[in-house]
Amino acid sequence: MTDINSRKADHIALASEAKHQAAQGSGFDLLRFEPNPLPQMSLQDIKLDSDFLERPVAAPFLIGAMTGGCNNGELINKHLAEAAQACNIPMAVGSQRAALESGMPQAARRCAPSAILLGNLGATQLQHHGLDLARRAVDAIEANALVIHLNPLQELIQPNGDRDWNGVLEAIQQCAAKLSVPVIVKEVGSGIGPTSAKKLMGAGIRWIEVAGRGGTNWASIELDRNGSEREREVAGPFIDWGMDTVEILHAVHAACPTLRLIGSGGVRNGLDIARCIRLGAEMTALAQPFLAPALISTEAVIEKISVLEEQLRWAMFLTGSERLSDLHLAEINGPASIGL
Ligand SMILES: Cc1cc2nc3c(=O)[nH]c(=O)nc-3n(C[C@H](O)[C@H](O)[C@H](O)COP(=O)(O)O)c2cc1C
């Protein structure tokens, strides 16, 4: 197994463990919708459908990036892609770097001929191979958009991780200008704050996935893989690095109202999806919650999607929101720090 493949296999095993979920949560529990005990509608009339990347989707959430294909990564992606196709939910594949380097076939498009599929590469991989690699990632799965992930803390903790981040913004800008599909920039669990969001907008980015703190904790996973005593000491203060998803989503939406946002990082149920929509996200993404069902079967992933849809429908019913546009306006109370 190559180094990248064995790292990805470790990630899949460790991400399933509860101890690598952020201890303090994403802040969702502090956000409470005002209950509306007079919904004045029937549950069955509630509409979850929405548009994403100019295409209709069944609900405003997507399967977050996890694997581009390694050992059991191929089977995971097959289950996820078949479910995405069956439910008309978009799916993001994980980093395609290893598959592109090894020439391994990427089955996601074959399993999901008409679903929205998002490609994925790390930002530092684009510094040197740039546009050509990005085009190959898009072509390999006929992606509807390319997601570029920013993960500087994870790279610092990983042995041999990328520590030279010069030229990353320029590489992103070049992809945004030259690729035939939109570019979405995401973090992996520390969040993209308003200052970086503005820089990304200046580089031509129209969509970001915030991936704030509160869900899967990559610092914790990387340290568990092979942190030496010294690495543990250095990384210790950064174990909770970042901003909570709720805090960061609110801050980015306030600072960049025209930027299109995917809420992610610790989104765990349909009520969290509703909270993200209320905070200004047009779409949301869940990664880790799809891992366990994806290890089982396509049907298990379909069942997970159906539960999330039902929870979102309940949240809409209980706030008297017949459409997602009504949910944007639902009364909500939250921490003073975000002015709600
Ligand atoms: C097993 C696993 C593998 C991941 N691999 C990638 C990846 O290759 N590329 C990427 O952009 N994000 C990757 N992520 C990060 C997720 O897409 C997401 O941003 C992060 O886990 C926070 O969301 P969550 O709390 O819903 O898991 C991975 C997450 C998991 C759980």
Side-chain angles (χ1 to χ4, degrees), residues 73-94:
E74 222 173 322
L75 192 60
I76 289 174
N77 269 4
K78 176 177 181 289
H79 294 156
L80 293 172
E82 286 175 354
Q85 175 71 24
C87 301
N88 191 23
I89 291 292
M91 170 186 168
V93 301

Side-chain angles (χ1 to χ4, degrees), residues 7 15-16 20 76 94 103 132 141 147 177 179-180 221 224 293 298 329:
R7 186 170 74 225
S16 309
H20 296 305
I76 289 174
D132 176 53
I141 58 163
V147 175
L179 279 186
S180 57
I221 289 178
D224 197 351
T298 301
L329 305 172

Side-chain angles (χ1 to χ4, degrees), residues 14-205:
L14 292 168
S16 309
E17 296 180 21
K19 69 177 179 187
H20 296 305
Q21 293 296 300
Q24 74 292 335
S26 310
F28 286 118
D29 290 346
L30 301 174
L31 272 189
R32 302 198 76 83
F33 283 107
E34 179 182 324
N36 179 347
L38 288 168
Q40 297 281 87
M41 65 186 70
S42 166
L43 185 69
Q44 67 183 18
D45 293 333
I46 288 177
K47 296 269 185 286
L48 306 183
D49 59 309
S50 156
D51 281 343
F52 180 54
L53 302 176
E54 324 299 332
R55 301 242 323 252
V57 290
F61 62 87
L62 61 85
I63 298 170
M66 286 193 282
T67 172
C70 64
N71 288 338
N72 55 351
E74 222 173 322
L75 192 60
I76 289 174
N77 269 4
K78 176 177 181 289
H79 294 156
L80 293 172
E82 286 175 354
Q85 175 71 24
C87 301
N88 191 23
I89 291 292
M91 170 186 168
V93 301
S95 176
Q96 295 169 269
R97 177 188 177 182
L100 289 172
E101 281 177 2
S102 65
M104 194 191 295
Q106 300 178 47
R109 179 53 77 198
R110 191 166 32 80
C111 300
S114 63
I116 297 180
L117 287 183
L118 311 180
N120 188 291
L121 285 172
T124 51
Q125 286 129 45
L126 297 170
Q127 283 164 306
H128 307 298
H129 316 286
L131 201 54
D132 176 53
L133 189 69
R135 284 192 173 126
R136 285 170 53 214
V138 170
D139 291 347
I141 58 163
E142 296 167 46
N144 301 88
L146 179 70
V147 175
I148 299 176
H149 66 261
L150 306 175
N151 60 342
L153 175 61
Q154 185 184 13
E155 295 289 341
L156 283 181
I157 297 179
Q158 243 172 44
N160 307 320
D162 286 320
R163 280 145 188 252
D164 177 1
W165 281 64
N166 279 305
V168 161
L169 188 61
E170 292 76 3
I172 291 174
Q173 181 163 27
Q174 198 194 30
C175 288
K178 303 254 171 74
L179 279 186
S180 57
V181 295
V183 171
I184 300 172
V185 179
K186 79 187 275 285
E187 233 281 344
V188 298
S190 301
I192 298 178
T195 311
S196 312
K198 282 182 192 163
K199 286 185 195 159
L200 289 166
M201 280 187 88
I205 296 301

